[in-house]
Amino acid sequence: MEQVQLIHFQGGEKYHRLLSHFYSFLYFVDDKIDHHYKRFVRDFMHYRDNIYCAAGKVIRALEEEAAKAGGNGFSAMHVRRGDFQYKKVKITAEDWYVNTKDLFLDPKEIIYIATDEKDHKFFEPLAQHYNLRFLDDFKEVAKLDEMDPNLFGMIDTVIASRGRVFVGTWFSTFTGYINRMRGYRGLSGTTSYYSTPDRKYNTHEWADPEKIIIAREWPTAWVGIDGDVAVHSETVT
């Protein structure tokens, strides 16, 4: 294969599409090279500074509000709705509460909601139990009126990635990237969850990319990439 000029990848079959994470279809035999490029993506292929600056202002405001209330930081959810094609994970706010109520034991804790849902009335069943905050609550703090609204989703992901606990939506690439950013920061997969019971704890154990790879992000993208030795399931608890 090293000598051929062209290699054809079959893209029409379900499990061979190239709509995937870079680390799941680029393979390097040398672990040092593999980790080099994973670090390159982590360190240089990321959101622009203005996105991080706006998100940082919101994160600071959330942490200050939590401290004043005697709480321990904030947690986050990513509630994907909009034109989402995966109906089985597009659940009601009541289901979100039932599936997450065991994760948030501090009644003072703030839950930041990253979402594309325009109608905040949807979240009223959650607001009965949780102290909710949204990006809209921080328009002045982050000077959002001065920013391109197309960046708001990216700001949401950065904020959500800093939550003490994070609960996301299976199949959502936004949730996936939030989990990857959490991994880049060294947070354990045991601090993240999914909103549906069948996938709730999927980030709590090592798993290699397989089948519908874009449904989530995978720990091989960040675990151990600052070293030169590959990390596998048998070496991670």
Side-chain angles (χ1 to χ4, degrees), residues 46-67:
H46 51 66
Y47 297 146
R48 296 185 311 206
D49 288 349
N50 62 329
I51 295 171
Y52 276 101
C53 286
K57 293 174 183 177
V58 176
I59 292 167
R60 181 173 60 187
L62 285 166
E63 291 176 342
E64 289 176 351
E65 182 181 357

Side-chain angles (χ1 to χ4, degrees), residues 34-161:
D34 178 72
H35 289 184
H36 168 82
Y37 283 105
K38 288 174 179 175
R39 291 195 301 270
F40 182 89
V41 170
R42 179 193 65 188
D43 297 339
F44 297 104
M45 298 182 69
H46 51 66
Y47 297 146
R48 296 185 311 206
D49 288 349
N50 62 329
I51 295 171
Y52 276 101
C53 286
K57 293 174 183 177
V58 176
I59 292 167
R60 181 173 60 187
L62 285 166
E63 291 176 342
E64 289 176 351
E65 182 181 357
K68 289 179 181 178
N72 181 26
F74 70 97
S75 287
M77 297 179 179
H78 174 229
V79 181
R80 176 70 166 89
R81 293 190 52 78
D83 60 348
F84 204 36
Q85 62 179 309
Y86 302 103
K87 306 303 181 185
K88 64 181 179 180
V89 294
K90 197 173 177 179
I91 60 177
T92 66
E94 288 85 353
D95 286 335
W96 271 90
Y97 171 67
V98 170
N99 297 340
T100 64
K101 62 183 180 180
D102 60 318
L103 305 179
F104 308 110
L105 304 180
D106 184 355
K108 297 180 180 179
E109 185 167 23
I110 295 170
I111 309 297
Y112 180 82
I113 304 290
T115 185
D116 59 344
E117 174 59 60
K118 304 295 185 182
D119 186 2
H120 284 188
K121 290 183 179 179
F122 170 83
F123 297 99
E124 288 179 353
L126 279 171
Q128 295 176 11
H129 305 279
Y130 300 147
N131 189 10
L132 303 185
R133 295 291 181 273
F134 300 87
L135 186 61
D136 289 348
D137 297 325
F138 302 94
K139 281 186 176 181
E140 293 185 6
V141 170
K143 298 182 179 180
L144 297 180
D145 289 338
E146 301 176 12
M147 298 191 68
D148 181 348
N150 290 312
L151 303 180
F152 290 175
M154 302 175 201
I155 296 171
D156 255 346
T157 60
V158 176
I159 299 167
S161 74

Side-chain angles (χ1 to χ4, degrees), residues 27-36 38-39 206 208 219-236:
Y27 178 71
F28 298 95
V29 178
D30 188 332
D31 294 329
K32 293 182 180 180
I33 302 300
D34 178 72
H35 289 184
H36 168 82
K38 288 174 179 175
R39 291 195 301 270
W206 182 280
D208 291 313
T220 187
W222 58 83
V223 174
I225 64 173
D226 285 305
D228 293 330
V229 179
V231 177
H232 301 288
S233 57
E234 63 268 20
T235 60
V236 175

Side-chain angles (χ1 to χ4, degrees), residues 167-170 175 179 193-196 199-200 202-203 215-216:
V167 186
T169 303
W170 185 258
T175 282
N179 276 325
Y193 302 83
Y194 283 101
S195 60
T196 46
R199 305 289 189 183
K200 187 171 182 177
N202 271 36
T203 61
R216 58 168 291 183

